[in-house]
Amino acid sequence: MEIVHLILGKANPERMNGVNKVVHQLASHQAALGHQVSVWGITPTPNDAFPERNYTTQLFADKKSKFFLDSKLIKAIAAVSRQTVFHLHGGFIPQFYLAAKLIQKRRLKYFFTSHGSYNTVALQKSKLSKKLYFSCFEKSMLAKAAGLHFLGQSEYDAVDKLCKVGNKFLIPNGQDLSEVSFEFQSLAKSQTPIFGFCGRLDYFTKGIDIMLDAFAIYRTQANAAGELWLIGDGTDREKIVNRIAELRLSDSVKLWGSKFGNEKFNIIANMDIFLHPSRNEGMPTAVLEAASLSIPSIVSWETNVGSYIQKHHAGWVLDNNNAEVLSQALICALRSVASQQHKIYGANAFQMVKKEFNWNNISQQLIEKYAA
């Protein structure tokens, strides 16, 4: 089968962009299954600055006006074979609407993954413009897609409020266990346990405000020890630094900045409990990465990982996503670390990844959808 994944970016896993990481893994595993796979990236810098991979990559210029496509992309769509299946990744992207029109004209199949764009919280940002755009462009693109792929239950359900679709299906992201097959080094810790987070430093969407407030309550009310490590970067870094100072947590919260590859995994491997109280997700790769390292997690239901965590006894799920509830979960986690129960949860998390988030199985499931 000939498969083309269309994204914004270069499918570079060494970036904070979760969609690019996911598409890289999906394309790699579909290629390993014997299919002819390409990633087509729309980017302001269409050069060859990306790691070596087992699939082909074509890059196209991102125009200033998002309602114009690079002429090279238009020609590329016109030149593909009749057996090609396209997979578009990301919602509210005008270039994808234009590409979908060209794909339709050639009577080719295309599938679409929104990657969390249609979750309730995501839709609140620029609400009126998104509502208008969806009505004028996105709705017709979804209606003509061969399949709509959703990563989590919340978005699978939420899309019905936007429009009625009959071609949707639910398949989660995966996690490649080979990424973590190296010897880890112990890092210095002034206090334990180590609670941690990895991802874009988006103060509201990722629930970092909840995390910091909860950690402050935990430290004060329980008089409990521990550190909070945050891996990542973003436009809200200064706001986060200021909030850490306001809460007098500067001695117990560490900002690592952006880390990738083995360095990132080594830091996560030194954590005791992973935190992800996000308000909006498709399927967070960071939680799966932590689980692959046998680190249990505390997550919100909004992450779409909660049902898996509960099913496999791989951590804790917040009944309500607020600082008070999370602070109580931190105290439960502290007791778990003291009794070493968290090691059992961590082992369960690893088995959860092997069973539920195997990239080969997920890639094959999507290929079967393409072929149907």
Side-chain angles (χ1 to χ4, degrees):
M1 181 179 291
E2 297 176 27
I3 305 164
V4 173
H5 294 281
L6 184 60
I7 63 167
L8 295 184
K10 303 176 184 178
N12 190 339
E14 297 188 354
R15 294 289 184 272
M16 294 307 300
N17 186 315
V19 176
N20 274 244
K21 294 181 198 173
V22 167
V23 172
H24 169 71
Q25 289 290 350
L26 178 56
S28 296
H29 284 81
Q30 288 180 336
L33 290 172
H35 299 278
Q36 186 177 327
V37 183
S38 298
V39 169
W40 292 5
I42 300 173
T43 170
T45 56
N47 52 50
D48 294 337
F50 50 81
E52 187 177 344
R53 62 261 310 248
N54 66 342
Y55 55 85
T56 61
T57 306
Q58 292 190 58
L59 301 178
F60 305 94
D62 192 6
K63 300 294 185 180
K64 284 187 178 180
S65 172
K66 305 307 177 185
F67 282 94
F68 286 91
L69 293 179
D70 185 343
S71 60
K72 292 180 181 178
L73 176 54
I74 296 171
K75 291 176 182 176
I77 294 173
V80 297
S81 77
R82 298 284 297 175
Q83 289 72 45
T84 303
V85 175
F86 283 85
H87 194 150
L88 283 54
H89 295 270
F92 298 102
I93 299 173
Q95 299 96 316
F96 289 2
Y97 168 76
L98 297 173
K101 296 284 285 184
L102 295 173
I103 296 166
Q104 292 164 29
K105 189 175 181 180
R106 289 214 54 206
R107 298 184 180 180
L108 302 175
K109 281 185 183 180
Y110 68 87
F111 289 75
F112 175 81
T113 306
S114 58
H115 292 277
S117 298
Y118 301 153
N119 274 326
T120 303
V121 172
L123 290 172
Q124 293 305 307
K125 189 174 182 179
S126 305
K127 182 178 179 179
L128 293 179
S129 60
K130 282 184 176 178
K131 185 176 181 179
L132 179 62
Y133 178 88
F134 189 90
S135 177
C136 294
F137 304 106
E138 201 101 330
K139 186 175 181 179
S140 65
M141 185 181 76
L142 300 189
K144 293 174 182 177
L148 303 179
H149 169 216
F150 295 98
L151 303 170
Q153 191 67 47
S154 64
E155 192 175 25
Y156 180 91
D157 295 336
V159 73
D160 290 336
K161 297 176 183 178
L162 295 171
C163 63
K164 295 296 181 182
V165 292
N167 55 348
K168 64 179 181 175
F169 57 91
L170 182 65
I171 298 175
N173 281 336
Q175 175 58 38
D176 186 356
L177 292 175
S178 69
E179 288 185 320
V180 297
S181 57
F182 66 96
E183 188 173 344
F184 301 102
Q185 303 297 318
S186 295
L187 299 175
K189 307 172 186 180
S190 62
Q191 303 180 61
T192 57
I194 303 298
F195 300 103
F197 167 83
C198 179
R200 188 177 73 256
L201 296 188
D202 185 320
Y203 189 71
F204 180 80
T205 304
K206 297 296 185 181
I208 296 175
D209 58 330
I210 296 171
M211 202 184 310
L212 293 176
D213 289 353
F215 189 64
I217 295 170
Y218 160 86
R219 294 271 295 179
T220 302
Q221 289 189 355
N223 194 28
E227 295 181 35
L228 176 60
W229 293 357
L230 305 180
I231 305 172
D233 216 332
T235 56
D236 289 340
R237 181 185 175 92
E238 185 177 352
K239 182 187 291 187
I240 291 166
V241 169
N242 291 339
R243 185 58 179 159
I244 290 169
E246 288 172 5
L247 294 170
R248 299 182 179 180
L249 294 174
S250 299
D251 63 337
S252 55
V253 178
K254 182 169 184 175
L255 294 170
W256 286 88
S258 296
K259 302 294 180 184
F260 303 101
N262 289 358
E263 186 178 12
K264 177 188 72 174
F265 287 122
N266 195 77
I267 297 170
I268 296 174
N270 277 267
M271 298 174 182
D272 296 297
I273 308 291
F274 195 80
L275 308 182
H276 211 90
S278 179
R279 293 183 171 93
N280 177 68
E281 291 290 344
M283 175 68 63
T285 56
V287 174
L288 304 186
E289 290 173 345
S292 73
L293 292 161
S294 299
I295 308 298
S297 292
I298 301 174
V299 303
S300 61
W301 282 109
E302 291 84 351
T303 60
N304 290 308
V305 189
S307 59
Y308 298 101
I309 295 286
Q310 279 195 341
K311 176 183 175 181
H312 292 274
H313 305 287
W316 301 261
V317 185
L318 303 174
D319 292 332
N320 292 292
N321 195 17
N322 59 53
E324 189 62 45
V325 173
L326 178 54
S327 69
Q328 293 306 306
L330 295 179
I331 292 171
C332 289
L334 172 65
R335 294 170 183 155
S336 177
V337 171
S339 68
Q340 296 295 297
Q341 179 71 26
H342 78 300
K343 297 286 188 182
I344 297 174
Y345 291 158
N348 292 343
F350 181 80
Q351 292 301 320
M352 174 187 76
V353 169
K354 286 183 66 176
K355 184 174 182 179
E356 306 279 4
F357 302 103
N358 182 296
W359 262 126
N360 281 334
N361 294 342
I362 289 166
S363 298
Q364 184 59 44
Q365 288 178 56
L366 281 166
I367 286 166
E368 289 170 3
K369 291 290 185 181
Y370 300 160

